[in-house]
Amino acid sequence: MRVTNMLPDVQYQMQLSQQALATATQQLSTGLRVNQLSDDPTASANMVVSLADSADIDQYTSNVSTLIPQMQPADSAISSIVTALNSAVTLGTEGANGTNNTQDKQELASQVQSILTTVVGQANTAYNGVYVFGGSESTTPPFVAASTTYNSSQGTVATPLTANTALTAGSVTTISDATTGETVTFKAAAGDTVATLQQAIAGGVVAGTLSPGTTATINAQGQLTIGSNSASDGIVVSSNDSVLGTMNADPTTAVANAYAYVGNSNVNTVQVGDDLSVATNVPGNQLFTSGANVIGSLGNLITALQSGTATQIGTATNAITTALNYVDQQRVPLDNTINQLNDQESYLGQEKVTLTSQETALVGINTADAATNFSQAQLDNSAVLAAAAKVLPQTLLQYLQ
Amino acid sequence: MSLNASLSIALESLNAASGALQATNNNIANANTPGYTREVPILEEALPTDLGNNINVGDGVDLVRYQSVRDELLQTQVQQETQAQSGANAQLASLQQIQPVFTTSAQDIGTDMSAFFSSVSALSTNPSSASSRQAVLTAGQNLATAFNTASNTLTSQQSSLNTQVTQDVSQINQLTQQIAALNPPIAALRDQGQDGGTLEDQQNQLILSLSKLTNISVTQSNDGVTLSTGNGTALVVGNQSYNLQTAVGSNGMTQVLDQNGINITSSISSGDLGGTIQTRDTTIPNLLTQLDTLANQFGSAVNSAQASGYDENGNAGQDLFTFPPTVPPAVAPVAGSASTITMAVTDPTLIAASSDGTAGSNGNLANLSAVQTTALPSGQTPGSAYASLVYQVGSLTANANAESTATTSSLVQLNDQINSVSGVSIDEESANLITYQQAYEAAARVVSTVQSLFSVVMAMGTAAAE
């Protein structure tokens, strides 16, 4: 084969070796084997998935970090309530021993009242504006002082509400009973009237959700009155129906030491792992009213100490002991969740390390390899340049001179 | 044999040596001229002179012609390889501009999609937090913007390629005119039994330039070179060139038409025009369709999850994203979804986190989060669909790069082979220079000797007269 001009070949070889040198330099300076998608399309696509996983892990870790301090106030509140209930049991036991005179018992009742205030305060614990025991109804305090009578703001003597007054479809009216600890939620359907609401309340009484005697009537002012008809059975009523307007408590009917739960039973869950979600709240009715009515039993003890017999005081104290044991049991799942979150935090840390090392394996290059590649590319480039310098000047003319 | 005959042979010899020196000189002068084919002087023995008595004597040398040393097969291979290389380079150049949009960065779709789902997850820890709700809206808008940017990059690239088609066609027409103009003089030289030489070199260079633009078929005839397009439409026949035309097609893209107005766009498969059309009409539309499908199905899935919950005011969730309405069936890609997707809401309270209508419920956020792990109608999760898109962009770029590298390497080898046949070797020409110089000197010596002999003869004549 005739060899005429070696320059194009030499130029091509120099270009190749300089490209290799540039690639080796980039790998060494970035620590990455894959600097653009075309360097390794499969690794680049896998990297997209891996980075998404990594972002999930970061978010789960962030969720855990947010939830732990968020759940600790609930745990502390329950702890305080348990301590307070223990004190109440002690006071009740003291009041039931038959040696106390009326003044002693009034004093004990006063101390229990103070405990009740503490317990209600703890049950209305908020963290960052969220009432931790309100279920998903967490933007307002879940335990509200009860009254016996609520009147609608709508309705006048001139234009009274009647049993036939139509309610707004989709509107919700709730009646929370402090004594039973239960709530009747009435959601108006199309065609429902005040009479339908009255029937729902009557049904709640039959079911035991509401205290006996709770009714809805139209008062002399033409307003809807929902009341317990018993001085000791407090309720809290709310409605978002514009036909009824705001349901206002009659201030003269406030029931001492009675609080109704106006939260709901819903539990929020938060994902803290690909296959792990945790419940982040315990609804207040589950803790303090449904299983054993903690707040109601404290109110009963106060009443017993104020005016009851030793036996009645003893019965009320036993009820508090039962409530105490119940609350203590309910606390266990909450504590377990907090422990689970702490464990998950460690697990996520390990997962993050695994993913990072997986990402390095996908697109990274270890320093030793990068340095070796660079050194090799440098050597190759030097060799090509040296060969070019030797070969290109060689012509016959040199020897003919 | 007379002295005159000897002088005549010596003169022819001087001519031949001088002519050969001229060829060598021309070769040396064009040693680095692109497309130059080395010339060799074709020397032949002159017909012998009959001296009678069956005695024939050689009558010197004739310089018959100059011959360019070519290998047409190799030239055809170079043309074809150049077409493939230019096609690959055109695709590579476009894909290298598209690639960064799909490369992991702070603003790519994958990162913004992860950020969106992270913001939804963060909101689940405190669904009534205004800042967390705002973070979901911001992340959603960032993701919509990432879709817009990716789509706009693709369409803007497509638009640039469309302009390139018109430019390429214009250059092709110029080249075919120049090539056709060279056919008559080359044919005339051939008719005279001469080599096309420099004119043929120029024509070959023009054909090579044309090969960089489009795929062509080259055949030789008595009228010179005949060129046709990939589907056989004539571009150059004899001294006639046929211009390609352009027209805007129904898809808004420039189409290439032959001289009869027939659309030949799809038959242009290589060269810069072929690579440009391939990227403009196949690669980018394919990526755009997938991007539109992803944006549309992702947005629909989020909107559907929204609809199953309640916003902070207790109202049923409304759409978070807007884009062109889905055409049934739901899997049908909707053109323009990626370029137009945007957030439908700006009020953070409208995020439907709640499953029970209360502000504190996060029950519906699980549905929004589930979009991340649920297969879209396309059969893939949003993350997998995007990863698949990333793979395709990377793979297309890598393939174009490999094709470009392979054809470049192949061209280097083919040019080596062509140079081994047609290239000028300075060493060889230096040796030729010495050879022809010596031949010239020797012929001149013969002239000198004959001149001496003439002088002797003339002296003999003078002496006899005296």
Side-chain angles (χ1 to χ4, degrees), chain A residues 271-282:
Chain A
Q271 201 171 357
V272 292
D274 283 340
D275 301 311
L276 180 64
S277 293
V278 293
T280 59
N281 65 310
V282 183

Side-chain angles (χ1 to χ4, degrees), chain A residues 2 4 9 12 36-38 41-42 45 51-52 56 59 63 70 130 136-138 264 266 268-270 395-397, chain B residues 38 99 104 114 118 121-122 124-126 356 358 360 362 372 387 391 394-395 409 412 416 419-421 423 427-428:
Chain A
R2 285 175 75 240
T4 55
D9 270 350
Y12 181 64
Q36 46 192 359
L37 305 185
S38 54
T42 306
L51 284 174
D56 284 348
Q59 189 52 50
N63 287 355
Q70 192 172 309
V130 173
S136 65
E137 196 75 79
S138 56
N264 63 26
N266 296 341
N268 279 343
T269 58
V270 170
T395 68
L396 178 60
L397 289 172
Chain B
R38 74 185 166 107
Q99 195 171 225
T104 300
S114 289
S118 292
S121 183
S124 72
T125 62
N126 187 357
D356 61 10
T358 61
N362 72 359
Q372 187 179 18
Y391 172 79
S395 179
S409 170
V412 168
D416 277 352
N419 282 335
S420 79
V421 176
D427 289 348
E428 196 177 287

